[in-house]
Amino acid sequence: MQAMTISEATPQGMPIQAVTSETTLLSLVVRVDPPAPPREFLELLKRRSIVEEVLFAPNIDARLKITKPFLVTVKRREGIMTAYIEEINEFGYGSNSAEALYDLGRTLSELYFSLKDAADRLSPDLTSVWLKLAEHIQPRSA
Amino acid sequence: MKVHEFSRLEAKLRLKTRNSSHRLAWFEYEGKVVTRTKRSHGNKDLPASLIRQQLKLNEEELSGVISCALEFDDYVEILRNKGLIPRART
């Protein structure tokens, strides 16, 4: 599976909604003339777990720059669309993938400054997260 | 996970919190920040599995905290057993 890339070049730093097989399938179902597909089938389609990998490097904060993209898994979990970075165990969520990725961007910015402020009193586990985060995110020079 | 269940996690685990773009919550022990998580503002359902992973809890442990079967001291012991908090020297 080839990962979609989201970078600062993306308008407004917002991800472009990917056309997934889910979208296609749902569109097909909507266009079907009677007899309509069984309701259970539609429910199954809605609940299908579509997993998408995204290289994520948008403009998340005017003070920061993502210098190395994060690999993000976009997936529906427990009925909620989530965008998850396994490397640093961080996530965003929302009602669709665009919302989840936008939420993730804001979360990354908050996480960066929170960990930076507490850098001298982080547990080894969170120190590891901070070091990995700092590999991807750098402050913008004035 | 519902917002009120997240609030119960905050209370039972004595998480410190701060409102920003999100509600940030973190666990401190003996001056060290050990785990952290967050939720969005509002009443949307939360992804329990990801919050659980950030707090270093398994499903059973998370249910225990929400149902009040597990207390603060139990959480400390869970984190000790996972090597995230050093054992007190005797």
Side-chain angles (χ1 to χ4, degrees), chain A residues 131-142:
Chain A
L131 293 175
K132 285 176 191 164
L133 196 63
E135 284 177 18
H136 290 266
I137 301 178
Q138 296 292 318
R140 284 183 196 272
S141 46

Side-chain angles (χ1 to χ4, degrees), chain B residues 1-10 46 66:
Chain B
M1 179 188 286
K2 304 292 183 191
V3 170
H4 72 87
E5 293 174 320
F6 189 93
S7 300
R8 193 170 296 164
L9 282 178
E10 288 178 3
L46 319 172
I66 291 173

Side-chain angles (χ1 to χ4, degrees), chain B residues 66-81:
Chain B
I66 291 173
S67 68
C68 299
L70 288 182
E71 300 289 338
F72 174 82
D73 290 342
D74 300 310
Y75 185 51
V76 171
E77 193 55 28
I78 286 166
L79 296 178
R80 276 214 178 95
N81 289 337

